[in-house]
Amino acid sequence: MKINIEDVDVLVVGAGNAASCAALSAREAGARVAMIETAPEEARGGNSAYTGGAFRFPFTSVEQLLELSPDLAEMDLSKIDFGTYPKEQYFSDVAEWTEYRCDPVLTEILVDNSYQAGLWLRGHGVRFQPAFGRVAFKVGDTFRFWGGLACHIWGGGEELLRAQYKALEKAGVKVNYNTTCVGLLEGDGQIEGVKVRTADGVGEIRAKAVVLACGGFESSPEMRARYLGPNWDLVKVRGTRYNTGRGHQMAIEAGAAVTGHWSGAHACQWDMNAPPYGDLSIGDKFQKHNYPLGIVVNARGERFIDEGLDFHVLTYAKYGQEMVKQPGLIAWQVFDQKVTKYFRDEYRMRPVTKETADTLEELATKLAGVDPEGFLKTVREYNAAPRPDVPFDPSVHDGLKTSGLAIDKTNWANRLDSPPYEAFGVTAGITFTFGGLKISTEAEVEDASGKPIKGLFAAGEIVGGLYYHNYGAGTGLAAGAVFGRIAGASAARLARG
Ligand SMILES: Cc1cc2nc3c(=O)[nH]c(=O)nc-3n(C[C@H](O)[C@H](O)[C@H](O)COP(=O)(O)OP(=O)(O)OC[C@H]3O[C@@H](n4cnc5c(N)ncnc54)[C@H](O)[C@@H]3O)c2cc1C
């Protein structure tokens, strides 16, 4: 079958954040660029379309934030405490989250280039805004930011991609939808294009360089069960249904080396009645990230995590993995009136799986799937546990901790004694998989001997080596932008000789 995509220097597979950055960067370097996307136009954008827009970058001054988000100038900055997030902190955070397994060279490239990548995106029409409702609490009359995140992308993934597609159109880069990459064309020691499937059949697209930016394998129950283990095939998918791991498979067939935590994935607490795949009209709002302010109980009525170990942006991605180990993959988050004023907007939206009761005994009868006696025993022990006499403050590690419990709660351990009580039903929602392709500092895909596979580049979720065990919010989009830019520039350089 003839495919009308010709004279391409750089072919980018995918149309999410990493792919768009790679295509724009290759175009800026003078290459003729085309993109192919397996999804129809109305479902374009992969996981990037579902994002809340958190974007992690280092900063040491408000001036840097002002440059990225000029809207800040209209605000009373004396009433906002952004703190700082130096490169050293960012680097050591990633090292700690990944239990010191992250690739130090790739991590350094991420840390050193994410702020510049933000400015570059701003140059392509992406707007940034301070993330008040997400990573800041009002304490007294000051908004205090925490967790190393100061700015989000305005309008989340939807507006990020709207700006990127507009920039691609302006740059003359066409996105070919309903075009699935099913294989790589291997020539003499070089990748020379791809095999694709469309509604009209299978065909080939020739290119001097190929950038794989087609996401992880989170959308494939088969690959999830195969690599992540039991019950991962049962989880809900927070985003796209199209990231089925074909990119991984075709690169491996072409001799690519793999790296990263192949049995690991980003997953979080997700509304237990959410649909099996993401809903673009809801975006990321089926997530329930305020668990640090309450307790979480499983079907036996038992707590199974330290809800107050750290700010949610530093624990949410690994606690979703704990959900997969719970009976029936279900749990309930329980709160009282001392903390509901801090609820993120995802707790106030509809639809939501929620129960309310004036007594804990009444609540125990309403938590679907939970042993009421087990729940009441847990709450009584939790409320009775000794605590230091320190004030509750959700914007810092307040040290309001329990002691003597099977799992103590390290911070924000208020007793549950201010009715009405509110409970939210959750399950495991997978975001993306951690295992991926081994790339060089130029985003070239490497073979088993560490040599670049000529003509093959990768960026975004498909890249391995950055994430192990855990993940800090806002790193996904930042890494996609940083390595997308590098992949595009390197591919253009090769293509243009
Ligand atoms: C609900 C949700 C909220 C999130 N919030 C944030 C956040 O606030 N901040 C953050 O940093 N990260 C966030 N993430 C993670 C973030 O989405 C990803 O890390 C990032 O967007 C991945 O970008 P990508 O370009 O690599 O992949 P994607 O955006 O998923 O793009 C991959 C593209 O490739 C296409 N594709 C797949 N296979 C093929 C094929 N064979 N042929 C052709 N095309 C193919 C897909 O259809 C898709 O369009 C969130 C994720 C989800 C699901």
Side-chain angles (χ1 to χ4, degrees):
M1 173 195 74
K2 178 123 183 50
I3 304 264
N4 294 324
I5 305 174
E6 284 164 350
D7 301 326
V8 177
D9 291 326
V10 176
L11 182 83
V12 179
V13 181
N17 172 53
S20 302
C21 292
L24 282 169
S25 170
R27 193 73 197 96
E28 280 174 352
R32 293 164 300 171
V33 180
M35 298 168 79
I36 56 173
E37 166 57 63
T38 182
E41 184 161 2
E42 62 276 12
R44 67 183 181 179
N47 268 353
S48 302
Y50 293 84
T51 61
F55 192 93
R56 187 173 288 268
F57 57 88
F59 63 95
T60 51
S61 71
V62 172
E63 285 65 35
Q64 284 178 306
L65 300 180
L66 272 164
E67 193 180 350
L68 191 64
S69 175
D71 304 348
L72 275 175
E74 282 136 40
M75 299 176 189
D76 177 357
L77 295 177
S78 70
K79 295 263 182 332
I80 308 175
D81 173 5
F82 285 108
T84 61
Y85 193 57
K87 288 184 177 178
E88 299 71 25
Q89 179 69 47
Y90 193 166
F91 190 93
S92 66
D93 277 352
V94 177
E96 196 183 316
W97 302 326
T98 60
E99 297 178 14
Y100 304 93
R101 290 178 179 277
C102 60
D103 178 316
V105 176
L106 294 186
T107 303
E108 195 161 19
I109 292 172
L110 166 65
V111 170
D112 287 353
N113 297 285
S114 42
Y115 178 69
Q116 284 309 323
L119 289 178
W120 179 78
L121 283 171
R122 195 184 143 238
H124 284 294
V126 175
R127 282 178 62 191
F128 288 82
Q129 62 173 14
F132 286 116
R134 291 184 166 241
V135 286
F137 286 127
K138 195 160 190 193
V139 182
D141 65 356
T142 301
F143 269 103
R144 188 179 298 148
F145 279 72
W146 39 266
L149 276 172
C151 290
H152 272 43
I153 290 169
W154 172 79
E158 194 181 343
E159 290 301 329
L160 166 68
L161 289 163
R162 196 195 307 279
Q164 288 175 323
Y165 291 137
K166 201 163 158 219
L168 287 165
E169 197 179 336
K170 196 164 148 229
V173 177
K174 184 167 184 294
V175 183
N176 300 277
Y177 298 103
N178 301 306
T179 306
T180 305
C181 188
V182 293
L184 296 167
L185 299 178
E186 295 181 56
D188 254 349
Q190 157 130 24
I191 297 296
E192 295 182 344
V194 297
K195 286 178 221 147
V196 295
R197 177 177 294 116
T198 69
D200 307 326
V202 176
E204 296 184 350
I205 304 171
R206 299 255 149 203
K208 298 192 182 98
V210 172
V211 178
L212 293 176
C214 40
F217 54 86
E218 57 271 10
S219 317
S220 162
E222 184 271 335
M223 282 185 81
R224 293 198 310 263
R226 189 160 25 120
Y227 290 105
L228 307 179
N231 290 340
W232 277 94
D233 44 336
L234 306 177
V235 301
K236 303 213 182 243
V237 177
R238 297 179 66 212
T240 181
R241 64 179 58 241
Y242 295 103
N243 289 358
T244 57
R246 291 204 99 129
H248 294 68
Q249 290 164 336
M250 67 181 81
I252 292 169
E253 276 153 31
V258 297
T259 185
H261 193 182
W262 274 72
S263 60
H266 178 308
C268 74
Q269 295 169 58
W270 192 247
D271 192 295
M272 65 170 55
N273 291 307
Y277 289 94
D279 173 341
L280 275 171
S281 67
I282 304 275
D284 63 353
K285 297 237 173 354
F286 284 121
Q287 65 199 10
K288 297 287 174 281
H289 289 342
N290 275 137
Y291 54 85
L293 304 179
I295 66 168
V296 186
V297 296
N298 63 17
R300 289 189 290 268
E302 296 161 353
R303 293 179 49 248
F304 54 96
I305 53 173
D306 173 356
E307 301 89 345
L309 178 67
D310 209 324
F311 298 116
H312 85 266
V313 287
L314 305 179
T315 58
Y316 79 116
K318 70 175 180 181
Y319 281 169
Q321 300 161 22
E322 295 305 314
M323 283 298 310
V324 182
K325 302 172 188 161
Q326 303 314 312
L329 280 77
I330 62 123
W332 286 80
Q333 302 178 347
V334 182
F335 308 91
D336 73 3
Q337 292 311 304
K338 286 197 289 299
V339 297
T340 50
K341 66 175 177 232
Y342 297 111
F343 273 172
R344 296 160 51 99
D345 51 13
E346 69 232 25
Y347 286 80
R348 306 201 189 291
M349 64 156 228
R350 292 292 172 272
V352 68
T353 306
K354 176 182 178 181
E355 294 292 350
T356 306
D358 291 328
T359 66
L360 290 165
E361 289 68 22
E362 182 197 350
L363 187 67
T365 63
K366 290 184 171 183
L367 302 182
V370 176
D371 167 19
E373 285 318 308
F375 167 65
L376 289 171
K377 176 173 178 294
T378 294
V379 177
R380 291 189 187 118
E381 286 169 0
Y382 172 77
N383 279 347
R387 291 155 169 79
D389 182 17
V390 295
F392 166 69
D393 180 348
S395 71
V396 294
H397 296 133
D398 63 8
L400 177 53
K401 59 177 288 151
T402 63
S403 56
L405 295 175
I407 302 174
D408 275 313
K409 186 175 177 188
T410 309
N411 291 289
W412 315 302
N414 284 312
R415 290 183 171 84
L416 287 167
D417 56 11
S418 310
Y421 301 99
E422 299 187 20
F424 296 81
V426 292
T427 183
I430 189 169
T431 315
F432 68 92
T433 47
F434 289 163
L437 307 180
K438 179 99 177 49
I439 62 166
S440 71
T441 55
E442 303 301 323
E444 302 150 309
V445 176
E446 295 180 350
D447 67 16
S449 68
K451 270 202 350 281
I453 297 176
K454 200 171 174 194
L456 190 59
F457 302 83
E461 285 178 6
I462 197 170
V463 167
L466 281 172
Y467 314 116
Y468 293 80
H469 301 293
N470 196 3
Y471 157 100
T475 324
L477 289 174
V482 167
F483 290 102
R485 286 183 80 192
I486 295 172
S490 304
R493 213 168 27 251
L494 176 79
R496 291 168 57 76

